[in-house]
């Protein structure tokens, strides 16, 4: 097998999951639904009203469970597996928390996968920061405690929780098995540091191809990754429905829906 590029970095944003039915951030009715961002996506919001925040993320976990990966997620997962098998390096950095890349990897998770904004499929102890695989929905849409996790909601084998059900406090909030302190979603909130940036920069400064998919190029540090890769000598490609904010960082633009354009582009690599 011949590979034109030996070290690839893919960066994905909400647009790659749009055709799976996940709303993008900059849609008119974006992902924050009827909530102010600082109420549900900031450490201060969580301190003020953890039930509201867990209600919001419970709904997002249920939504993530109800959508399916599309051809773009699958094509990327397949390419990462092929590269790993051939001792080449393809890294996938995602800003999405929707778990669809993880699900497309299936039983073979990639060594080079970085979810810089966290994921809906992990919780974190607020005391010691220990991470737990956790996909439970703790509250219904009205903020009422879901006592029984109704197995039918978790029928997909990949979505089966790996954590024995955490204990709850009197408000129904989940407590960490390690410290018996509050668990929070392992999501990067406003004002918090993205995850794995050093590792991402290491990949970016050594890659020969950088491909951004379905991201508007508005939010840093990810919006600066194309420029870093380009400066390091990589060919930079953008696959998006429209031209992104950071369009000048790309050598090549492919306009169109991710589920069509990503498999097409990957097929030519
Ligand atoms: P955005 O909602 O900002 O941008 C989505 C991009 O995908 C837009 O440029 C759309 O044109 C494009 N798009 C929509 N449908 C598409 C399709 N079917 N195929 C290809 N492209 C499509 O989402 P992100 O760039 O991911 O951060 O947003 C970045 C970050 O902003 C998010 O991770 C979030 C938000 O603040 C945090 O939560 C920390």
């Amino acid at each position: 097998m011949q590979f034109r590029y030996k070290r690839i970095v893919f960066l994905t944003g909400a647009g790659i999951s749009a055709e799976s039915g996940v709303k993008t951030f900059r849609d008119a009715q974006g992902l924050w639904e009827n909530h102010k961002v600082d109420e549900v996506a900031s450490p201060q919001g969580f301190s003020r009203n953890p039930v509201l925040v867990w209600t919001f993320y419970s709904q997002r976990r249920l939504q993530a469970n109800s959508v399916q990966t599309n051809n773009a997620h699958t094509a990327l997962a397949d390419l990462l597996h092929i590269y790993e098998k051939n001792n080449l390096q393809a890294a996938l950095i995602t800003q999405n928390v929707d778990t669809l890349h993880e699900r497309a990897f299936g039983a073979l998770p990639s060594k080079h996968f970085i979810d810089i904004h966290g994921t809906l499929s992990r919780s974190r102890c607020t005391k010691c920061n220990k991470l737990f695989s956790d996909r439970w929905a703790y509250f219904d849409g009205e903020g009422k405690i879901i006592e029984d996790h109704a197995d039918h909601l978790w029928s997909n084998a990949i979505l089966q929780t790996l954590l024995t059900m955490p204990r709850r406090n009197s408000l129904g909030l989940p407590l960490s098995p390690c410290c018996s302190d509050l668990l929070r979603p392992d999501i990067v909130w406003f004002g918090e540091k993205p995850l794995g940036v050093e590792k991402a920069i290491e990949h970016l400064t050594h890659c020969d191809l950088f491909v951004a998919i379905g991201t508007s190029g508005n939010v840093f540090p990810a919006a600066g990754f194309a420029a870093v890769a380009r400066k390091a000598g990589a060919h930079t490609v953008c696959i998006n429905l429209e031209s992104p904010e950071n369009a000048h960082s790309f050598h090549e633009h492919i306009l169109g829906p991710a589920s069509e354009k990503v498999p097409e582009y990957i097929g030519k690599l």
Side-chain angles (χ1 to χ4, degrees):
M1 233 179 203
Q2 287 291 331
F3 296 93
R4 194 149 39 116
Y5 297 102
K6 310 284 183 253
R7 294 187 72 152
I8 308 181
V9 176
F10 294 95
L11 168 71
T12 63
I16 196 170
S17 299
E19 291 159 86
S20 294
V22 181
K23 284 182 196 159
T24 63
F25 288 86
R26 267 142 267 277
D27 278 351
Q29 300 151 350
L31 272 173
W32 311 110
E33 307 292 346
N34 294 321
H35 298 286
K36 286 191 193 146
V37 168
D38 65 342
E39 276 177 1
V40 292
S42 74
Q44 296 79 7
F46 186 65
S47 304
R48 273 195 303 267
N49 193 344
V51 171
L52 174 72
V53 173
W54 264 120
T55 299
F56 177 75
Y57 284 101
S58 292
Q59 293 312 295
R60 294 193 58 194
R61 285 179 171 189
L62 290 172
Q63 195 219 4
N65 185 41
S66 72
V67 298
Q68 301 302 326
T69 56
N70 67 47
N71 292 339
H73 301 106
T74 314
L76 277 176
D78 290 349
L79 185 96
L80 261 67
H81 289 152
I82 291 172
Y83 263 58
E84 277 179 28
K85 242 165 80 190
N86 286 277
N87 290 322
L88 299 169
Q89 215 176 84
L92 173 54
I93 306 170
T94 190
Q95 299 165 87
N96 300 343
V97 300
D98 59 27
T99 75
L100 291 177
H101 286 306
E102 297 154 55
R103 288 165 60 185
F105 288 137
L108 295 170
S110 169
K111 287 190 293 217
H112 305 301
F113 175 60
I114 307 175
D115 42 20
I116 54 169
H117 291 167
T119 174
L120 287 169
S121 65
R122 282 194 306 263
S123 293
R124 175 158 34 108
C125 173
T126 50
K127 189 163 188 192
C128 74
N129 285 326
K130 188 165 177 188
L131 299 174
F132 298 93
S133 295
D134 175 18
R135 300 168 190 271
W136 293 124
Y138 295 101
F139 295 92
D140 71 11
E142 267 74 58
K144 288 206 194 79
I145 300 168
I146 302 177
E147 294 287 0
D148 176 309
H149 281 91
D151 285 347
H152 67 274
L153 292 174
W154 311 104
S155 53
N156 182 334
I158 302 291
L159 289 179
Q160 295 291 333
T161 187
L162 301 175
L163 177 70
T164 46
M165 170 64 191
R167 284 182 303 110
R168 316 267 201 112
N169 70 11
S170 56
L171 296 173
L173 291 161
L175 300 176
S176 61
C178 43
C179 305
S180 285
D181 217 312
L182 278 190
L183 276 176
R184 58 163 277 181
D186 190 33
I187 301 277
V188 174
W189 286 330
F190 287 89
E192 296 184 319
K193 194 169 163 252
L195 311 173
V197 174
E198 294 77 10
K199 208 163 126 199
I201 298 288
E202 173 68 21
H203 283 298
L204 291 162
T205 49
H206 291 94
C207 69
D208 50 8
L209 175 67
F210 173 86
V211 187
I213 303 163
T215 176
S216 58
N218 270 296
V219 176
F220 284 83
F225 287 175
V228 174
R230 186 173 174 148
K231 195 164 171 222
H235 181 64
T236 54
V237 180
C238 171
I239 304 178
N240 214 43
L241 270 190
E242 60 197 1
S243 196
E245 284 288 312
N246 57 349
H248 56 276
S249 299
F250 296 96
H251 295 105
E252 194 179 338
H253 288 264
I254 300 171
L255 293 184
S259 71
E260 190 186 301
K261 298 296 177 188
V262 172
E264 212 174 277
Y265 182 76
I266 283 179
K268 290 188 209 145
L269 285 176

